[in-house]
Amino acid sequence: MSAYTELIRNFDKVKDYVREFYIFGFKTRDSYAVKSKRTYDNEKRRIESWLSGYIHSENTGHKKMVSVKVDSSEISGNPLYRCWKSKSYTDNDITLHFLLMDILDTENGMTVSEITDRILKDYDIMFDIQIVRIKLKEYCDEGLLTACKSGKNILFMKSGKSTGEIIDKYEGIKELISFYSEEIPFGVVGSFLSDKVNHVNNIFKRKHAYMVHTLDDEILLSVINAINEKHQVVLSCIGTKSRNIYNISAVLLKVHFSVQTGRNYVVIYNLDTNRLNSVRIDSIKSIKKVGTSKKYDTYYEYYKTNKKYLWGTSFGDLRKYGQTEHIHFEVQIDEKSEYFVVQRLIREGRSGTVTKIKDGRYAFDIDLFDANEASPWIKTFIGRIVQFTTDNQELQKRFNDDIQALCDIYGG
Amino acid sequence: MKLFSEIYSIYYRIAEEILKRKKVTKNEIRDIIQEKGFLETVLFLEPKITGSERYSLFCEEDGIYSSVLKKSPDRPLTLLEKKWLCAVLNDRRSALFLDKEVREELSEVLGVTPMFLQSDFYSFDKFADGDPYEDEKYISHFRNICTAVKNKCLIKISFQSAKGNRITHYFLPLKIEYSAKNDKFRVHVTSYKNKKPFESGIINISSVTLTEITDIYPEIPENLSRKCREPIVVRVSKERNAINRFMMEFAELERTSVFDEETGICTVSLWYNKYDETEIVIRLLSFGPVIEVVSPSCVRRQMRQRVLKQKEILEQSEITV
């Protein structure tokens, strides 16, 4: 059995724990389906170390609950980014990293043999030439080095100016990096840059920030690549309730972000069912590219045509695919002091239309594939709704029942 | 191009910091690790720098550790970093930080395709009345406020209040807040009376009509938090996947939660900013009867008022719900 270390090789292994600690925070060791209690204990210990200062433990009976407690409006940077900075490496990796950056410059290229010899001569460290070659290839892929042919030789050199030189040259770039570091997606890259130049954000803070999305950035990068390259893919997903793994053959069309519910999706053309669908990004475990989709543009046009009937991401019940459901509701307001309610309808109503019926009374109308999706938003107008009708009978009944149930809870 | 790479790791960052110092003592090494590392990093990294099986990057003489490097360590931008920078330079909000010519020059220097395009994403529930990021006056006010936050100096701001009044005052801007939901920047400010911090407030940058930076550096107010004294306690039922939805939606707030396995009820305490109370009440209403606000009484009262008003409307005969 290998000894415990603070660093990890595979990010996937730990991200579900971080998510559970951060989102729920009430689960105990027994709630996790893991190979062994030691696995749970090791992951917990790592996360406690990475996120120290944000971790809280509480005992419930004999069981311990671990949670990550953060108020996103009170912090200067997303603490979950620290998890991305925990990749393990070997002694050779770190030694070669600093030596290559020390030896190479941007103008005079060196061959792998010259580099290996220089390491021995100047630093008195002997490396197998193969190890040096592998590292050079890796750093070319990462963009730290470039390789060019000179006769029969391949010369390696640094790929450009240092990070510090570029950042110091442009006034305002540090603030730009500070701001975008907390943006989704891929804000963590900005955090890498800030680390590199020892810059700390002390200007910006966030409201309505879903920091947990950073955990899905690796998958999201594959999603974006598949979209841009118009690939057909096989998505391997995990059921959010059942936890079963299932595969979908699909073409990925657009990432749909929610800035209010904390859930992100990718809209797909499902090749198994020949319909548009959406998949939660945090449910995707892997993406396997199958090849380029010849019909990508057709699917994308089909999505674009139908987008106006989406409230969020649902294309509705399988049996009623392609059919829309109408919602009509009316609100009453004091025209002088409560006009902000009408502004809310316009600002938040997406593809819906707002019509003035008479002074103090306004109607909102919309056609959607899935009227259920708009229901939470409509409930935010409780206290002002004078009429609510929909041709989704189930929703009509549930809406009426919900109002009654709320009266039972708060009305007594 | 990897996102999870040791190149960006905290251990590499610490090693670089130590290598930059050229000569350091064991105590200094420990201090750097403790300052920049994870909680337990010192246990694992210190022996690799000062122990007998240390990295070949360091040599030791009389308790002083020195770098074997010839130059101060530095690396170029990685492809990932370049592509990310190119992507953010394409975003319209980047005009707030860099002029068009600078953005174009920088994009050319970086010389790569962007990591993503804004058109790859669609934020379906973002409000439709976001700030005017391309407006020159808006950009100028934003930059002035940014400078004043950075320099901690007073700034004269004129703005249109929510009630339509024009207000002009000297403020200390403390932080600029961005909301992805509202697509708006707001500045948190403190006003002063007799050179003492007097009142705190929030100004929408889109409502600002004038900014003038001063060279006055006032006393910084101590407790800036407008956090509630008592959390909102909510009982969330299992129905309609409410626990999952609720915990995700309110993940931005500091919370504690306890799950009762017998009843299937999760009791969540939410700590919120007092400025946001009405917004939180509206968001709680959107969950309908699958949640119940237990306390504090002022928040429960607001829920009750809205529900009773709805009940009153229901009871009027001409209404069909």
Side-chain angles (χ1 to χ4, degrees):
Chain A
M1 189 180 293
S2 57
Y4 168 84
T5 67
E6 204 180 26
L7 305 181
I8 54 168
R9 190 197 288 254
N10 181 358
F11 192 71
D12 264 355
K13 211 174 124 190
V14 79
K15 73 176 186 184
D16 289 341
Y17 286 99
V18 179
R19 195 192 312 276
E20 294 285 333
F21 290 172
Y22 177 70
I23 299 288
F24 298 103
F26 56 71
K27 297 189 178 177
T28 60
R29 184 163 68 173
D30 299 340
S31 323
Y32 293 88
V34 289
K35 279 186 281 183
S36 70
K37 287 182 175 174
R38 181 188 287 270
T39 306
Y40 171 86
D41 289 341
N42 282 347
E43 302 306 351
K44 179 169 80 72
R45 181 177 167 189
R46 276 190 192 102
I47 295 165
E48 281 174 335
S49 179
W50 299 343
L51 303 177
S52 64
Y54 300 101
I55 291 283
H56 288 256
S57 300
E58 218 170 296
N59 287 323
T60 163
H62 296 295
K63 295 171 182 174
K64 195 176 184 182
M65 302 183 301
V66 180
S67 62
V68 178
K69 271 197 202 170
V70 190
D71 178 345
S72 64
S73 69
E74 298 282 333
I75 51 167
S76 60
N78 182 349
L80 303 188
Y81 289 163
R82 292 169 74 84
C83 306
W84 282 109
K85 300 167 188 173
S86 62
K87 176 78 167 68
S88 62
Y89 57 87
T90 64
D91 288 9
N92 280 346
D93 286 329
I94 191 167
T95 309
L96 271 177
H97 172 83
F98 287 104
L99 293 183
L100 291 177
M101 294 300 118
D102 205 41
I103 292 168
L104 295 170
D105 61 37
T106 52
E107 283 161 15
N108 307 304
M110 292 170 78
T111 64
V112 61
S113 318
E114 286 168 342
I115 294 167
T116 313
D117 291 346
R118 174 78 77 85
I119 292 173
L120 182 62
K121 184 172 159 269
D122 285 4
Y123 305 91
D124 200 19
I125 305 169
M126 186 182 284
F127 271 104
D128 181 334
I129 194 165
Q130 267 309 101
I131 290 175
V132 179
R133 184 174 282 126
I134 290 167
K135 186 54 82 181
L136 290 168
K137 160 88 176 62
E138 186 193 325
Y139 275 20
C140 286
D141 292 344
E142 293 304 321
L144 286 172
L145 303 179
T146 49
C148 64
K149 267 201 156 183
S150 170
K152 283 182 182 174
N153 295 321
I154 297 173
L155 303 179
F156 295 92
M157 60 194 87
K158 275 189 184 172
S159 64
K161 287 180 183 164
S162 77
T163 308
E165 268 178 280
I166 290 197
I167 288 176
D168 288 344
K169 189 180 168 191
Y170 299 98
E171 197 188 333
I173 196 171
K174 281 187 181 167
E175 287 75 26
L176 173 129
I177 291 169
S178 288
F179 173 69
Y180 283 99
S181 291
E182 299 310 309
E183 274 288 280
I184 51 165
F186 312 122
V188 67
V189 183
S191 166
F192 297 154
L193 281 166
S194 294
D195 282 357
K196 189 74 196 66
V197 292
N198 276 324
H199 177 67
V200 178
N201 166 37
N202 50 23
I203 297 178
F204 300 104
K205 62 188 224 164
R206 292 278 155 168
K207 192 176 177 186
H208 309 120
Y210 291 101
M211 297 183 294
V212 75
H213 292 319
T214 186
L215 301 175
D216 300 314
D217 273 349
E218 218 163 33
I219 282 291
L220 191 60
L221 195 55
S222 304
V223 168
I224 296 296
N225 289 339
I227 290 175
N228 291 331
E229 288 162 21
K230 301 184 177 181
H231 268 119
Q232 184 182 321
V233 298
V234 174
L235 296 176
S236 178
C237 304
I238 185 161
T240 43
K241 288 178 198 163
S242 65
R243 313 304 292 167
N244 292 334
I245 301 277
Y246 59 95
N247 291 337
I248 307 171
S249 288
V251 171
L252 312 186
L253 301 168
K254 181 83 92 180
V255 175
H256 276 219
F257 277 160
S258 167
V259 290
Q260 295 190 41
T261 66
R263 281 170 280 172
N264 293 338
Y265 300 80
V266 56
V267 173
I268 63 169
Y269 187 82
N270 187 326
L271 297 164
D272 299 327
T273 56
N274 289 321
R275 57 164 286 180
L276 291 164
N277 263 146
S278 60
V279 176
R280 281 261 296 264
I281 288 178
D282 58 6
S283 75
I284 304 173
K285 289 285 145 195
S286 67
I287 300 176
K288 193 175 147 200
K289 288 179 185 174
V290 177
T292 307
S293 167
K294 285 177 189 158
K295 288 172 79 180
Y296 187 92
D297 293 340
T298 312
Y299 297 140
Y300 189 76
E301 280 306 311
Y302 181 48
Y303 153 76
K304 256 173 61 182
T305 313
N306 285 289
K307 194 180 144 192
K308 60 178 179 284
Y309 299 118
L310 287 177
W311 182 256
T313 58
S314 173
F315 289 88
D317 198 296
L318 181 63
R319 289 162 298 170
K320 293 192 282 181
Y321 181 64
Q323 294 172 34
T324 58
E325 299 166 339
H326 188 74
I327 291 178
H328 170 89
F329 76 96
E330 292 174 21
V331 293
Q332 69 178 27
I333 59 156
D334 179 323
E335 198 82 33
K336 278 185 187 161
S337 63
E338 295 178 334
Y339 190 72
F340 63 88
V341 177
V342 181
Q343 287 171 324
R344 270 197 62 207
L345 289 171
I346 297 167
R347 187 172 61 212
E348 301 171 26
R350 305 179 206 185
S351 57
T353 54
V354 180
T355 319
K356 182 172 181 172
I357 296 172
K358 59 180 183 183
D359 272 356
R361 192 151 168 165
Y362 290 80
F364 180 86
D365 286 273
I366 195 165
D367 291 300
L368 297 169
F369 285 134
D370 187 351
N372 289 302
E373 275 201 304
S375 169
W377 177 69
I378 296 166
K379 287 195 196 108
T380 66
F381 293 94
I382 281 174
R384 303 180 192 280
I385 302 167
V386 286
Q387 192 178 59
F388 172 82
T389 52
T390 172
D391 42 26
N392 179 330
Q393 293 308 311
E394 218 175 294
L395 175 62
Q396 180 80 57
K397 183 178 180 313
R398 194 166 64 240
F399 192 85
N400 299 348
D401 292 348
D402 279 0
I403 300 289
Q404 191 51 55
L406 280 166
C407 291
D408 294 342
I409 294 170
Y410 298 105
Chain B
M1 195 177 77
K2 286 180 288 190
L3 200 58
F4 191 47
S5 163
E6 66 276 10
I7 297 169
Y8 313 112
S9 73
I10 282 190
Y11 279 36
Y12 270 39
R13 190 184 170 202
I14 293 169
E16 182 175 311
E17 187 72 28
I18 296 167
L19 289 164
K20 271 184 181 163
R21 304 266 180 111
K22 282 296 206 184
K23 289 184 188 301
V24 277
T25 64
K26 197 170 181 173
N27 283 343
E28 285 169 334
I29 289 170
R30 189 171 298 155
D31 288 346
I32 294 168
I33 297 174
Q34 275 169 347
E35 188 203 327
K36 303 220 182 273
F38 304 126
L39 187 68
E40 295 191 317
T41 302
V42 79
L43 296 178
F44 302 98
L45 188 56
E46 195 189 328
K48 299 301 286 183
I49 296 173
T50 62
S52 55
E53 290 185 14
R54 62 176 168 266
Y55 301 138
S56 314
L57 297 163
F58 302 93
C59 46
E60 188 259 343
E61 200 178 331
D62 301 331
I64 301 291
Y65 296 84
S66 50
S67 161
V68 302
L69 303 181
K70 315 289 178 208
K71 295 181 285 198
S72 183
D74 207 351
R75 65 161 173 84
L77 291 168
T78 61
L79 184 61
L80 182 84
E81 291 166 335
K82 284 181 188 170
K83 286 173 91 62
W84 179 82
L85 272 173
C86 273
V88 305
L89 289 173
N90 275 342
D91 180 55
R92 62 197 194 104
R93 289 166 299 177
S94 66
L96 298 172
F97 304 94
L98 301 170
D99 291 338
K100 195 179 172 211
E101 307 75 59
V102 178
R103 278 180 280 142
E104 282 171 358
E105 185 193 315
L106 184 53
S107 290
E108 210 178 302
V109 168
L110 295 168
V112 293
T113 54
M115 189 172 173
F116 56 90
L117 298 171
Q118 291 302 317
S119 58
D120 292 333
F121 307 103
Y122 172 54
S123 294
F124 54 83
D125 49 5
K126 181 158 78 178
F127 289 1
D129 60 346
D131 280 358
Y133 302 117
E134 282 99 353
D135 181 282
E136 281 183 23
K137 282 184 183 159
Y138 181 92
I139 293 172
S140 162
H141 298 318
F142 181 90
R143 289 187 186 174
N144 280 343
I145 292 168
C146 214
T147 305
V149 175
K150 204 161 64 172
N151 298 342
K152 299 184 173 69
C153 63
L154 284 191
I155 181 168
K156 184 179 173 184
I157 300 179
S158 291
F159 68 99
Q160 208 80 27
S161 74
K163 288 177 184 164
N165 302 322
R166 189 186 153 123
I167 297 170
T168 302
H169 210 291
Y170 287 89
F171 297 101
L172 176 70
L174 302 160
K175 281 272 156 64
I176 299 173
E177 173 190 274
Y178 178 73
S179 158
K181 171 178 158 181
N182 304 120
D183 192 21
K184 279 187 185 304
F185 283 95
R186 300 180 177 98
V187 56
H188 289 242
V189 295
T190 298
S191 64
Y192 286 77
K193 204 174 183 179
N194 301 326
K195 296 185 177 176
K196 294 280 170 203
F198 176 59
E199 255 181 344
S200 62
I202 301 173
I203 301 169
N204 281 344
I205 296 189
S206 59
S207 73
V208 172
T209 53
L210 176 139
T211 49
E212 277 175 23
I213 299 175
T214 72
D215 53 3
I216 305 165
Y217 301 89
E219 181 188 324
I220 309 282
E222 275 176 14
N223 187 9
L224 306 169
S225 180
R226 288 272 300 165
K227 214 174 232 189
C228 58
R229 287 199 185 131
E230 193 186 336
I232 299 177
V233 179
V234 185
R235 272 203 288 262
V236 187
S237 78
K238 264 179 161 176
E239 252 180 279
R240 303 179 206 167
N241 196 24
I243 295 175
N244 206 320
R245 289 192 297 122
F246 187 89
M247 298 305 274
M248 277 296 279
E249 179 160 340
F250 287 98
E252 58 163 327
L253 301 179
E254 191 178 326
R255 296 152 296 148
T256 52
S257 52
V258 179
F259 182 68
D260 185 331
E261 282 180 24
E262 278 175 30
T263 60
I265 299 281
C266 185
T267 304
V268 188
S269 301
L270 300 171
W271 275 267
Y272 64 103
N273 189 317
K274 285 297 275 181
Y275 282 123
D276 302 328
E277 193 166 284
T278 307
E279 187 196 326
I280 303 263
V281 167
I282 287 172
R283 287 169 69 187
L284 291 169
L285 267 177
S286 76
F287 282 85
V290 293
I291 67 156
E292 179 180 358
V293 174
V294 182
S295 64
S297 56
C298 62
V299 176
R300 186 170 165 100
R301 199 181 310 123
Q302 289 183 62
M303 298 289 284
R304 179 181 151 86
Q305 274 167 359
R306 287 174 192 252
V307 170
L308 288 183
K309 202 171 155 197
Q310 186 62 51
K311 190 179 177 187
E312 204 181 296
I313 295 170
L314 275 170
E315 282 164 2
Q316 291 170 20
S317 58
E318 88 267 21
I319 292 160
T320 47
V321 173

